[in-house]
Every structure is written in structure tokens, then in C-alpha cells.
Amino acid sequence: SQQGEEDPQALSIQEGENATMNCSYKTSINNLQWYRQNSGRGLVHLILIRSNEREKHSGRLRVTLDTSKKSSSLLITASRAADTASYFCATVNSGGYQKVTFGIGTKLQVIP
Amino acid sequence: EAQVTQNPRYLITVTGKKLTVTCSQNMNHEYMSWYRQDPGLGLRQIYYSMNVEVTDKGDVPEGYKVSRKEKRNFPLILESPSPNQTSLYFCASSWDSGPNQPQHFGDGTRLSIL
């Protein structure tokens, strides 16, 4: 099974609304990262949250991490059509510093 | 411009015909990695390299080879491709193999093995 599993797998919202995506994982982690993938392109790093952090902000992005529940959420506020993409969480296991495990992603569609 | 460059971007070939996908980065990164992306399975790591002449298997290494003779290049070799290797492949690099380094991805190579 996937280390990082995103929920929902697909999300469709109107422009201006907030979008929330969740990620669950199974093992102890060093950090958790979120990436974005536009159709047909490579992944782009959005934000990294370390295991000792609970919340992090970057522009319209807000990430939370709950290590007791082994889960993270990515909130995109005031969404725009240009936010349409797939979003992946990636975990870096503690003790395995070069091992990055990606989930299967959430496909977000923002309707203008 | 800092980038990871993969070639080719698209390739259709036949079973058994050896092929190489090149990957080059211009950021002097130590760590490089190959992934394959399949519907419903997300990205799975094939091989990674922590530095020149240092490579190791990821989650799905069978049927693939890599080499890291110079820091900037990390080619992926399919000695005898099979249809189950039809996939979208990504090369990525990061400054080092430390846990808090974000990865920079190429734009992908779509391989179809007939």
C-alpha cells in the first residue's frame, strides 16, 4: 500500500473557493512535502513541513501536520483556475534520508 | 536557468530494443533519482544516486540500469524493454541526499513499448 495516500483523489471547486486535500501515511517520517504537477509536466515542490512542526504557510498555501494521526492537509485559499493540477504528498522516512515516497495524488479542478 | 533536462520526451519502441533515457542537471546537485508514474500508483522510485559512482535500488528497479559517471548526468537504461515498462518517467535531483532537500523534476519522458 502507498506510504502517502491522498484524499480525495479528485476535487472540483469554483474559482475563489478553498480547496483542502489530505494525506495519510504509515511510518515515522522526517518531513512531509507537497508537490504540484501540471498536466504533462514534472512535479514542482510547493512546501516542506518537518516532523516537529504543526503548521506552515506559504502565500495561499497552508499545510498542517499531525504526527499522532500520521496525517497532513494542504489548504489552498481563494483558488484560481491556474491552480488546476494534481497535488502529491511525499514523505521522507526518518532514518532513511534519501528515501522519498510519493502518494497517488489529488486531481484538483478549479472552474472559472 | 536551473533545470533538469530529460531526453527524449516521447519514445515509441518495440520489445527487446535497448534504449537509454538521458537526464542532465545544471545545478551541481549531488542527489539524483529516477521515478516512474503510472495511473493509480503514483510515483515509484526506480534508482537513485547519492553522488558520482554511488547508486542504489529504489522500489521498482527490475529491468532497469543506471550509471553516474559524472555529477550532472544520470542516464536510465532499459536493456531489453518490455510492454510493462510503458510508463511516464521522471528524473529528479536535489542539492544533497539530506532529508530536507526538495527535489527538482524534469518534464518527463513518455515511453511506449510495443
Side-chain angles (χ1 to χ4, degrees), chain B residues 3 12 35 80 95 98 104 114:
Chain B
Q3 58 187 3
I12 301 173
Y35 297 89
S80 184
W95 184 249
H104 300 258
L114 304 177

Side-chain angles (χ1 to χ4, degrees), chain B residues 31-81:
Chain B
Y31 180 84
M32 297 186 75
S33 182
W34 275 104
Y35 297 89
R36 61 178 288 174
Q37 184 177 27
D38 301 289
L41 296 176
L43 277 84
R44 294 179 292 169
Q45 190 176 46
I46 304 170
Y47 269 94
Y48 62 92
S49 169
M50 297 212 294
N51 214 325
V52 176
E53 302 291 2
V54 180
T55 63
D56 208 346
K57 297 176 181 178
D59 295 318
V60 288
E62 294 78 20
Y64 304 94
K65 283 175 58 176
V66 292
S67 67
R68 188 92 182 273
K69 293 187 171 63
E70 355 165 51
K71 202 171 189 178
R72 64 182 294 130
N73 296 323
F74 190 44
L76 179 71
I77 303 156
L78 285 72
E79 294 268 4
S80 184

